Amino acid sequence: SNPYNLYVQSTASPGGYGSQISPFQTIEQALAVAQPNGVINVLSGTYPITNQINLNIPGLTIKGRAGAEILLQAPVVPFLISSDNTTIDGLTMTSNQPYPVEFIQIGSNGDQILNCQIYGPPQAGDSSTWVVNRGFVTQVNTTNLLVRNNIFHTLRQPAYLNPNSTGT
């Protein structure tokens, strides 16, 4: 496989090596071999998440294809961006119940969230009584963040920007 252009398919056969013909089953498998400025293509399917995925490779892009859904199934932050210039593009993210966490936490600079749909399950009452769940949260001093063409719904808040966070 090409460590700069990897593929993940939730329904792939075990033992895949990350190519388009023989994809990995999980994003974590692809992260183990991905290189800086590489792309992990997340193909259609549901990806259950019960542990945090640390995106710590500089310049990495996680690119969701049509029908790729991240399904949070535990009270953990699914994606922690901890390396500069990381991009999450085109993923749908939801949860099987309203967890009091964000879907993406950003702790680096120059990162991008593009073309994603992020939402929680319906909650009763008006939003003031909902579990505090969010699409994304920045850590203090996160700079040059770009968030564009996303849809956030059925969340207490789409985002929370901590002090000294900057971007568009």
Side-chain angles (χ1 to χ4, degrees):
S1 63
N2 176 350
Y4 295 98
N5 193 30
L6 297 164
Y7 291 84
V8 176
Q9 174 80 54
S10 64
T11 58
S13 299
Y17 53 88
S19 71
Q20 193 168 6
I21 295 170
S22 182
F24 292 122
Q25 286 183 310
T26 68
I27 296 168
E28 294 90 340
Q29 289 172 316
L31 283 170
V33 297
Q35 295 297 306
N37 302 311
V39 177
I40 296 175
N41 297 282
V42 181
L43 303 175
S44 65
T46 300
Y47 297 83
I49 302 294
T50 57
N51 294 302
Q52 186 173 76
I53 298 172
N54 187 2
L55 303 179
N56 59 2
I57 300 168
L60 182 69
T61 295
I62 304 292
K63 175 79 173 151
R65 299 289 179 96
E69 180 182 75
I70 303 301
L71 179 60
L72 181 60
Q73 296 183 325
V76 299
V77 176
F79 292 107
L80 171 61
I81 299 176
S82 61
S83 192
D84 292 347
N85 304 310
T86 298
T87 299
I88 296 178
D89 184 2
L91 285 178
T92 295
M93 297 179 219
T94 190
S95 59
N96 63 349
Q97 66 182 31
Y99 296 108
V101 295
E102 60 272 14
F103 283 91
I104 304 168
Q105 186 176 123
I106 303 160
S108 52
N109 303 299
D111 301 312
Q112 300 181 72
I113 303 171
L114 309 171
N115 310 306
C116 293
Q117 184 174 174
I118 303 174
Y119 64 98
Q123 297 185 55
D126 67 57
S127 65
S128 68
T129 63
W130 289 6
V131 168
V132 180
N133 55 357
R134 298 179 173 117
F136 70 92
V137 172
T138 63
Q139 294 178 4
V140 174
N141 298 319
T142 296
T143 61
N144 200 25
L145 172 64
L146 176 62
V147 179
R148 183 178 56 205
N149 296 331
N150 299 284
I151 298 172
F152 300 95
H153 66 87
T154 325
L155 299 166
R156 175 80 180 260
Q157 297 174 324
Y160 185 84
L161 306 175
N162 273 297
N164 300 315
S165 295
T166 65
T168 303

